[in-house]
Amino acid sequence: MNILILISLTFILTLGCTTVQSSYQAEDYTNESYKREIDLSLMYIKIGDMSAAQDVLSLLARNRKNSMWYSTTALLLSTQGKNEAASNHYEKALTIDPNNLSALNNYATYWLKLNNPQKALYYLNKMDNMQKNSECFNLDACLEDGLLEYNQAQAYFQLGNKTFARERLEKAISKNKNISLAYLQMAKILDLDNNPNSLYWIDMYLESISSTGNSLSNNTVGFAIDTARKYKDINKLYVYQKLLK
């Protein structure tokens, strides 16, 4: 499987997931050494070493700036909070290669961060159409891991369409049982409808988190505790309280 790392974001139900990946792009990766350097910069972004990522991208810029260079630099700029510059770089990336899946997905996530679900859906739906029309190189490039559906769910939730958000989350989970945040978001959507099944999805989230070794935030544990109290589930309340740090 190609390199595909989900950056799990803290603000549940408002942000999507960004791809840090090296999907096939005919225009981008004719030079293997260039590809390796792009992957290196992506790795630095993932681990939070923005200075090292910038150094690699600056060196690559001396040779050529292609679609993947612009989209990777845009991801770096967005992570640094330089939103206007990030948007300009995403636009350049997609002008060079309109089918750059990393740029499409990350630009959609960019708009989700800025609470603009309409623009996010524009890019997500374009990816969806590419997938349906088999315009992707392989399953990884088509984001068959459920990431597309996960981000669509975030956009629909921002638009207030809980029905579509649930449908997209269900699709994401059916494709990939390891998208932990999808379980938690499903729980939160159901809780908004006063549906006690939200406790089931909280448990699914906790099970998924425990298998990955990721830590729980106190906000998430607090939500679990409040939900157990709301539905008067004493056993789950006891379990959730033990999770507090």
Side-chain angles (χ1 to χ4, degrees), residues 6 145 172-173 175-183 208 211-212:
L6 304 184
D145 58 354
I173 292 168
K175 287 185 173 185
N176 186 352
K177 301 294 190 292
N178 295 321
I179 303 182
S180 301
L181 291 179
Y183 298 124
S208 177
S211 66
T212 62

Side-chain angles (χ1 to χ4, degrees), residues 8 177-180 205-215:
S8 297
K177 301 294 190 292
N178 295 321
I179 303 182
S180 301
Y205 172 72
L206 294 176
E207 180 181 342
S208 177
I209 284 293
S210 65
S211 66
T212 62
N214 292 330
S215 61

Side-chain angles (χ1 to χ4, degrees), residues 77-92:
L77 292 167
S78 178
T79 304
Q80 294 173 324
K82 300 175 182 178
N83 291 330
E84 185 175 353
S87 179
N88 289 337
H89 279 68
Y90 280 129
E91 293 287 350
K92 289 177 181 178

